[in-house]
Amino acid sequence: MSSLAQIRAVILDLDGTLLDSMPLWHEIDLAFLRENGIEPPDNISDIVGKMSITEWAEYFIREFSMPHTPQQVIRRIEEMAETAYRETIPLKPHVTAFLDVLDGMGLPYGIATATYKNSAWAALRRLGLAERMQFVLTGEDVEGGKSTPEIYLRSAALLGSSPQETLVVEDALHCVQTAVSAGFLTAGVYDAAALPEEWQEMQRICTVSGEDLSEILEKIQ
């Protein structure tokens, strides 16, 4: 726990951490395949959930022999998601209080997300959070999304901090594993979309973990 005293900046995930958006993505996976005449495999959301936007599109085309380009797939899924981000997706519990505490501690923060840039900004503006963020980096900015540490390393550089003094707040095991591999401090936040064994492993490897952001706050203040 003493490593938490080193925190100088915070990198925030968006989907499943700040936004209660994971159910939407599960439905979009299924709806996109069905509108193309494909009955989705049971585990499709688990498979593509670990991919960048481009990897996701290429996987759909390859696996299901779709007559589309990756950009066509990307544009269609973005269209399907954008309305929900612009109009309906709510915040997860305690987000505003969490950011208030970070501000009070003088810790700068920004977002690293696998979602679409336009959708991310639309939700942040609607929810009054856009002006609070130092930046929003997405899978459109960094090749490989969160399957490589680059998006976290670029985020830390924008915040002026090293991995060893930067806390990455995530809800997905594969993202935490990527951040840990690069030397970041990590906070694992529970999301109902996580498999029980994934949440158990997150609790094991994260610097801190909690059922929601209020529990994370208790451990970093």
Side-chain angles (χ1 to χ4, degrees):
M1 292 294 218
S2 61
S3 59
L4 293 174
Q6 302 169 212
I7 298 173
R8 298 290 177 268
V10 179
I11 299 170
L12 299 163
D13 172 51
L14 188 65
D15 295 296
T17 300
L18 300 186
L19 298 183
D20 192 8
S21 52
M22 297 312 292
L24 168 77
W25 285 106
H26 176 71
E27 292 304 317
I28 284 177
D29 298 341
L30 307 185
F32 175 77
L33 291 176
R34 285 176 177 141
E35 77 172 17
N36 283 277
I38 299 162
E39 185 56 32
D42 291 340
N43 64 340
I44 190 63
S45 294
D46 294 334
I47 294 171
V48 299
K50 299 177 175 63
M51 297 179 182
S52 70
I53 292 168
T54 301
E55 289 169 337
W56 185 1
E58 291 172 347
Y59 175 82
F60 277 165
I61 292 166
R62 182 177 65 253
E63 187 70 13
F64 302 109
S65 302
M66 288 184 168
H68 303 309
T69 66
Q71 282 306 312
Q72 287 172 328
V73 175
I74 289 168
R75 280 197 300 270
R76 177 56 185 143
I77 295 176
E78 183 174 16
E79 288 171 0
M80 296 170 76
E82 189 172 355
T83 298
Y85 277 82
R86 192 174 60 247
E87 298 179 3
T88 61
I89 292 175
L91 287 175
K92 293 289 288 283
H94 313 295
V95 170
T96 302
F98 186 79
L99 298 181
D100 288 345
V101 171
L102 296 186
D103 290 339
M105 296 171 70
L107 298 176
Y109 49 86
I111 288 175
T113 177
T115 201
Y116 298 94
K117 186 177 288 289
N118 287 343
S119 295
W121 279 115
L124 291 169
R125 283 191 288 268
R126 172 175 57 85
L127 295 164
L129 300 182
E131 296 300 320
R132 303 185 71 164
M133 300 300 160
Q134 298 277 323
F135 58 84
V136 175
L137 281 183
T138 76
E140 297 168 72
D141 301 310
V142 182
E143 187 175 352
K146 293 184 176 179
S147 60
T148 74
E150 182 61 26
I151 194 167
Y152 298 119
L153 294 171
R154 281 184 56 180
S155 295
L158 290 170
L159 293 166
S161 58
S162 69
Q164 293 75 20
E165 57 188 13
T166 306
L167 183 69
V168 174
V169 186
E170 284 278 5
D171 71 301
L173 175 59
H174 71 282
C175 300
V176 168
Q177 290 169 328
T178 298
V180 168
S181 74
F184 285 89
L185 303 170
T186 53
V189 183
Y190 177 75
D191 185 79
L195 297 172
E197 58 269 26
E198 292 179 340
W199 174 235
Q200 188 174 45
E201 179 64 6
M202 282 181 66
Q203 291 175 293
R204 187 185 72 82
I205 67 173
C206 283
T207 314
V208 294
S209 60
E211 293 289 328
D212 55 36
L213 288 172
S214 68
E215 288 194 16
I216 302 299
L217 277 181
E218 292 173 5
K219 297 172 182 179
I220 68 172
Q221 291 185 85

